[in-house]
Amino acid sequence: VTGAPFAGQTLILQPGATVGMSPGSIPNLGTIELQTGTGTATTTISNEGTLVNDGTIQIDAGSGSAAINSNTITSPGAIVDNGTFSTSSTLTSTGPVTVGPTGTFTDSGGFNNDAGGSITNDDTFSVNGGHTFTENGGTTSGAAILINDSYLNFTGGGTATFSVVDNGSSNVTGAPFAGQTLILQPGA
């Protein structure tokens, strides 16, 4: 796929689809919908550049999973996760990220929660396996963001809650700003 949907357009990836995406200078102004279906297949976008999301990236509920891998995503637009979603891209969010009550968001790249960014976490948002979450002025609400054998950098304010789990060895740089909470689980 070259480019990205314009306003009023929707790109639907059916369960198990794998597509290379070269966004070039065209931002997503429409909707990119990743369907997860009823099986165990993974719907995957191999990001071949910088994907600018000014529209919506939507992950549907289902027993399968969805992924966006490689390079970078800049998102002033919405990301709505109602399924099982992972990304190995470096994602900078200045817009809303919603993890619905059936959603699981796994960051296996880098996540920057910059000013204007907001994460509403109604299920599970985790940073895994030596990857980095940078809290830089965005906010979180709902369940704590799980830091799992990874890095957490405090570089800016914004009401937020993080919980370091007892799996592996996580590293925290900086300290929580006013309105931020850092929870260390037993054994962490």
Side-chain angles (χ1 to χ4, degrees):
V1 175
T2 301
F6 285 82
Q9 296 177 339
T10 300
L11 171 64
I12 299 172
L13 299 177
Q14 295 183 354
T18 298
V19 64
M21 188 167 197
S22 299
S25 62
I26 301 171
N28 172 39
L29 299 172
T31 300
I32 298 173
E33 179 181 346
L34 291 90
Q35 297 178 337
T36 59
T38 58
T40 59
T42 300
T43 305
T44 305
I45 293 176
S46 178
N47 182 18
E48 298 170 359
T50 297
L51 174 59
V52 176
N53 177 42
D54 282 322
T56 300
I57 297 173
Q58 174 182 317
I59 297 86
D60 293 342
S63 60
S65 60
I68 299 178
N69 297 321
S70 303
N71 292 306
T72 59
I73 301 169
T74 301
S75 186
I79 298 174
V80 180
D81 178 12
N82 289 307
T84 301
F85 177 65
S86 65
T87 180
S88 64
S89 299
T90 298
L91 195 157
T92 299
S93 177
T94 57
V97 174
T98 302
V99 180
T102 59
T104 301
F105 188 114
T106 303
D107 170 40
S108 295
F111 194 101
N112 301 304
N113 194 25
D114 286 356
S118 63
I119 300 170
T120 301
N121 184 18
D122 291 330
D123 198 331
T124 304
F125 185 117
S126 63
V127 183
N128 288 348
H131 299 285
T132 302
F133 188 102
T134 300
E135 175 57 32
N136 189 32
T139 62
T140 72
S141 62
I145 306 300
L146 300 177
I147 306 300
N148 182 9
D149 192 26
S150 53
Y151 300 89
L152 171 61
N153 297 326
F154 288 104
T155 59
T159 302
T161 303
F162 302 92
S163 183
V164 178
V165 301
D166 67 348
N167 181 21
S169 176
S170 293
N171 292 298
V172 176
T173 302
F177 286 68
Q180 296 176 344
T181 302
L182 175 63
I183 300 165
L184 300 177
Q185 294 183 14

